[in-house]
Amino acid sequence: MNLGPARVERTATCGVLSFPAEVDLSNGEAILGQSERLLAAGVPALILDLTACAFCDSSGLNVILRSQARASELGIPMWVVLPHRGIVRRVSDVAGLPRRVAIAPDVATAREALAVPAR
């Protein structure tokens, strides 16, 4: 069981925050803090990668929505990588997450979307 913080990768084009296998009340605030630090550091874009996340309760959804709100305030584009199947996808769909944030099936797709200038 991986309830630790998220893994952070920072490049010249974006910051990627890869969620651990499980996100709940025990680690949600720490992951949100990681996201907020990336945004405060001025990353040009943010990707929240839930590929390896097998369980995500409302704490994880809170991280995503609060990160999106902050990224929007700062004018920083954000994508959430969410596989097509699995419990995390089902919870996200029921919560209406795809209507509120940009969703990609994998990190490569999110990176490609960020490379295309907004019109």
Side-chain angles (χ1 to χ4, degrees), residues 13-14 16 44-48 76-81 101-119:
T13 59
C14 70
V16 179
L46 179 62
I47 297 173
L48 301 181
I76 297 172
M78 186 183 102
W79 281 79
V80 176
V81 174
V101 299
I103 303 287
D106 53 57
V107 173
T109 302
R111 286 184 193 272
E112 288 173 16
L114 290 168
V116 176
R119 294 180 190 182

Side-chain angles (χ1 to χ4, degrees), residues 12-90:
T13 59
C14 70
V16 179
L17 192 62
S18 299
F19 281 36
E22 296 186 17
V23 179
D24 62 19
L25 189 59
S26 70
N27 62 353
E29 282 298 317
I31 296 168
L32 178 61
Q34 290 176 289
S35 172
E36 289 172 342
R37 284 189 293 282
L38 276 170
L39 291 167
V43 292
L46 179 62
I47 297 173
L48 301 181
D49 180 9
L50 280 76
T51 303
C53 189
F55 176 81
C56 180
D57 70 4
S58 61
S59 300
L61 297 175
N62 182 51
V63 169
I64 295 166
L65 294 174
R66 288 179 61 189
S67 295
Q68 175 63 44
R70 185 65 182 139
S72 291
E73 288 172 3
L74 297 170
I76 297 172
M78 186 183 102
W79 281 79
V80 176
V81 174
L82 194 59
H84 291 295
R85 299 185 189 281
I87 188 73
V88 175
R89 180 59 185 240
R90 286 196 303 272

